[in-house]
Amino acid sequence: MNFKQVSKILEEFDVEEQPSTMLESRFPNIKIIESGVKQLKSEEHCIFTEDGNQLVYEKLCLCAGAKPKLICEGNPYVLGIRDTDSVQEFQKQLTKAKRIMIIGNGGIALELVYEIEGCEVIWAIKDKAIGNTFFDAGAAEFLTSKLISEKTEAKIPHKRTKYTTEGMKKEARTKAKADTVGSALGPDWHEGLDLKGTKEFSHKVYIETMCEVKKIYLQEEFRLLKKNSLTFPTDHHNESVTTDNETWPVYVELTNEKLYGCDFIVSATGVTPNTEPFLHGNSFDLGEDGGLKVDDHMQTSLPDIYAAGDICTASWQPSPVWQQMRLWTQARQMGWYAAKCMAATRLGDIDMDFSFELFAHVTKFFNSKVVLLGKYNAQGLGSDHELMLRCTKGQEYVKVVMQNGRMMGAVLIGETDLEETFENLILNQMDLSPYGEDLLDPNIDIEDYFD
C-alpha cells in the first residue's frame, strides 16, 4: 500500500499484514491453502501437503525464502532472528537480560546493535569492519562513531520502501511445527518494538573484530572447566582483561581466545535457501549457494517450475552493474517478474524486467539513510577501479566507484539527495573523466548540472 516511485528503480511503499481471506475476497480467482509442503513430484506436476492433500499444477512458482544459519542448533540460549515470531521471543528474553552477545555482520546484526538499550552488547564479527556486506571500512568508520556516541538524534523520516507488520499480534501464533519459518523481516522490523534490557543506560556496545565463535558452554560445563571469563570492556582503546565474577547462563569462547559470559546469544549469520522440501526425487540444478538456479525468465531447470526470492540463484548473465543479494526489495522484484513470465507463456514473450539493469537498495542503519547502487563495493571489478570520497563527519558519507571514467557504483549515507542523479549516471555510462574530483564537490549542484 501507499506505493510511490522515488526514482526510476528505487520505490517506496508500506507493507501491511492482513488475513489471507482479504486477498480471496478481493480476487475471487485466488485460493489460499495454509499448509506445509511434504513433497514435490515434478514429473507428475503435483504437490503433496502435510495435511494430506494432493494439488496438481500447470505452472508452479517456489517462493519459500531462506532459513537462518544458526551457529548452534538446539541450544536454548542461541536465538536466530528471522520472522516476527522469533523477534517476539527475542524481545521477551531481552527484558530480563543484562548482557547479550551478537554474532554476525549483516543487516539484522547492524540494526539490533543500534536499537538495543539498557543492556551490554558484545558484538563479534569475522571481518575487520562492521557491515561488511553493505559497505567498506570507510563507511563503517563513519557509522561506528554514531554507534559509540549516545543516541540523541530523533528518528529520521522515511523516504523509501517501508515494511511493517500490522499490530504486532500479542497472542502466540499457532505453530504447526517448531521450525516453521515465517516471512523474512523487512528493514523496519524493529519499529514499534521496545528493545530494552534491565539496565538504565542507553548504549553500551563493544565490537570484537576478526573473530568467530569457537565454542559455546552452558553454565555447568563452564564451571567444571575452571576458566575465567572477561568483564565488559569499558574502554575501546585499552582492552580490559578483568575477570568477571558474575555467573552467566551461557559462555562464548571466541577464536581470538577471549571468553565472555552473557544471558543469551543472537545468531545473525545470514541465511541459506529453503530448498529442502522440494529436492527429494527432483533433479533441480542448484547454485553454489544452494539456491534453485533460475534463468532470465525465473524458470528453474525443471519444466513449468519457476522460483523467486531468497530460494533462487540468478544464473543468467547479469548486467555489469547488478548482482543478486537476498533482500526484500529483490524478492519483490523477482516475484513480480516471475508472475509476468508465467503469464507470458500464454500471452507471448516479454523482455527482462528493468529492475535487473541496476542493483539499487535503500535502507537505514544507525538512524542514517543508506543507499547502495550498482557495484557499490567494487564487486568483481578487480584492481582496475578508483574510488572517490566525500565525508562530512556525523552528516554524510558519499563514495563513488569509477572504472575507465564511468560510474559503476555508489554508497550514499545520510540525506545526500544524490541517488537519482547517480542512478542515471550509472545507467547511461556517461564518460565523467572531464569532471574529475569536481564530481563530488559540495559547492557544485551536481543534481542540477546533470538534470
Side-chain angles (χ1 to χ4, degrees):
M1 40 186 311
N2 306 331
F3 186 88
K4 200 164 86 204
Q5 197 76 36
V6 178
S7 67
K8 203 169 184 180
I9 293 176
L10 294 168
E11 51 202 23
E12 191 179 304
F13 56 86
D14 297 333
V15 171
E16 187 180 317
E17 201 174 54
Q18 291 188 345
S20 54
T21 47
M22 180 282 300
L23 204 59
E24 290 182 323
S25 60
R26 273 182 63 191
F27 304 101
N29 60 322
I30 292 178
K31 186 183 180 193
I32 293 171
I33 296 161
E34 270 188 66
S35 180
V37 170
K38 198 170 163 188
Q39 196 188 0
L40 160 65
K41 289 198 172 178
S42 56
E43 285 184 7
E44 283 123 78
H45 278 53
C46 72
I47 271 189
F48 293 89
T49 60
E50 281 172 354
D51 55 13
N53 284 328
Q54 182 180 345
L55 307 167
V56 176
Y57 64 83
E58 194 176 320
K59 301 265 178 225
L60 173 69
C61 189
L62 301 174
C63 305
K67 285 185 166 178
K69 280 185 219 160
L70 278 188
I71 49 170
C72 174
E73 294 286 345
N75 188 319
Y77 297 103
V78 176
L79 291 183
I81 292 192
R82 168 71 185 166
D83 51 20
T84 44
D85 288 336
S86 57
V87 168
Q88 283 167 355
E89 179 57 29
F90 167 69
Q91 202 180 353
K92 196 171 84 190
Q93 301 277 5
L94 188 62
T95 55
K96 305 180 288 229
K98 289 182 285 189
R99 183 192 296 167
I100 70 166
M101 194 143 183
I102 295 175
I103 316 292
N105 201 9
I108 283 183
L110 281 166
E111 285 163 339
L112 262 187
V113 165
Y114 186 74
E115 292 295 328
I116 290 169
E117 296 181 358
C119 178
E120 292 173 351
V121 176
I122 294 166
W123 184 14
I125 62 174
K126 66 178 192 298
D127 313 292
K128 277 185 188 166
I130 65 166
N132 198 33
T133 329
F134 296 99
F135 22 72
D136 60 3
E141 184 59 37
F142 174 83
L143 285 172
T144 305
S145 59
K146 292 188 134 212
L147 181 63
I148 298 163
S149 64
E150 285 294 302
K151 282 200 312 196
T152 50
E153 70 263 50
K155 296 265 190 218
I156 57 163
H158 291 282
K159 272 176 70 184
R160 59 176 188 84
T161 310
K162 184 169 180 192
Y163 309 92
T164 57
T165 55
E166 194 63 14
M168 273 302 192
K169 299 172 186 58
K170 289 281 179 281
E171 73 277 2
R173 298 172 192 215
T174 52
K175 291 237 175 182
K177 265 191 353 200
D179 61 353
T180 301
V181 178
S183 75
L185 294 162
D188 304 290
W189 62 270
H190 50 71
E191 301 245 326
L193 287 179
D194 185 17
L195 297 182
K196 280 195 169 66
T198 57
K199 308 237 179 125
E200 282 308 303
F201 53 80
S202 83
H203 231 169
K204 242 186 189 180
V205 178
Y206 185 77
I207 307 168
E208 285 285 0
T209 57
M210 307 284 289
C211 67
E212 293 181 64
V213 173
K214 188 173 172 184
K215 196 149 173 37
I216 295 171
Y217 304 99
L218 296 179
Q219 196 180 84
E220 187 57 28
E221 249 182 307
F222 183 75
R223 202 172 56 78
L224 295 171
L225 272 180
K226 295 196 163 44
K227 283 191 178 185
N228 290 329
S229 67
L230 300 174
T231 55
F232 187 82
T234 48
D235 192 321
H236 270 258
H237 306 290
N238 303 318
E239 294 190 13
S240 155
V241 285
T242 326
T243 302
D244 195 356
N245 296 320
E246 188 146 356
T247 308
W248 299 95
V250 65
Y251 291 83
V252 182
E253 187 177 358
L254 300 170
T255 48
N256 61 9
E257 303 307 318
K258 293 189 184 176
L259 224 160
Y260 291 103
C262 57
D263 287 300
F264 65 91
I265 304 154
V266 177
S267 175
T269 44
V271 294
T272 49
N274 186 24
T275 55
E276 196 205 4
F278 313 105
L279 296 184
H280 179 68
N282 301 302
S283 53
F284 281 108
D285 285 351
L286 300 180
E288 282 175 29
D289 55 11
L292 303 175
K293 273 190 177 182
V294 291
D295 63 15
D296 57 359
H297 281 71
M298 305 308 291
Q299 199 157 358
T300 66
S301 56
L302 297 182
D304 300 321
I305 301 180
Y306 297 72
D310 286 5
I311 195 174
C312 77
T313 301
S315 60
W316 63 82
Q317 185 60 45
S319 135
V321 285
W322 185 87
Q323 64 269 340
Q324 184 180 5
M325 272 181 92
R326 288 183 161 81
L327 299 164
W328 265 51
T329 41
Q330 267 192 13
R332 180 184 168 274
Q333 287 160 352
M334 285 178 167
W336 187 81
Y337 177 56
K340 279 178 71 173
C341 292
M342 288 166 87
T345 55
R346 291 192 168 180
L347 306 171
D349 208 20
I350 57 163
D351 292 327
M352 185 125 209
D353 187 67
F354 187 77
S355 59
F356 299 110
E357 282 296 303
L358 170 70
F359 175 84
H361 185 60
V362 197
T363 187
K364 186 184 74 174
F365 291 127
F366 303 177
N367 208 33
S368 292
K369 176 179 167 185
V370 176
V371 178
L372 307 171
L373 295 171
K375 300 288 181 183
Y376 62 88
N377 248 353
Q379 297 96 322
L381 298 184
S383 54
D384 174 32
H385 70 273
E386 53 188 48
L387 303 178
M388 287 162 67
L389 290 175
R390 176 173 106 200
C391 182
T392 313
K393 201 173 178 200
Q395 272 189 301
E396 62 166 21
Y397 177 92
V398 177
K399 178 187 84 170
V400 172
V401 180
M402 304 291 290
Q403 190 176 49
N404 304 326
R406 286 161 173 79
M407 194 182 290
M408 297 300 287
V411 174
L412 308 170
I413 306 178
E415 291 296 335
T416 64
D417 283 331
L418 291 169
E419 53 264 41
E420 201 167 355
T421 307
F422 282 7
E423 184 183 282
N424 289 330
L425 290 176
I426 296 170
L427 280 169
N428 64 29
Q429 287 294 287
M430 175 183 174
D431 184 4
L432 301 168
S433 34
Y435 306 99
E437 294 293 318
D438 288 346
L439 199 61
L440 293 187
D441 187 333
N443 301 314
I444 296 172
D445 190 351
I446 182 176
E447 246 186 304
D448 203 36
Y449 187 84
F450 287 111
D451 194 15

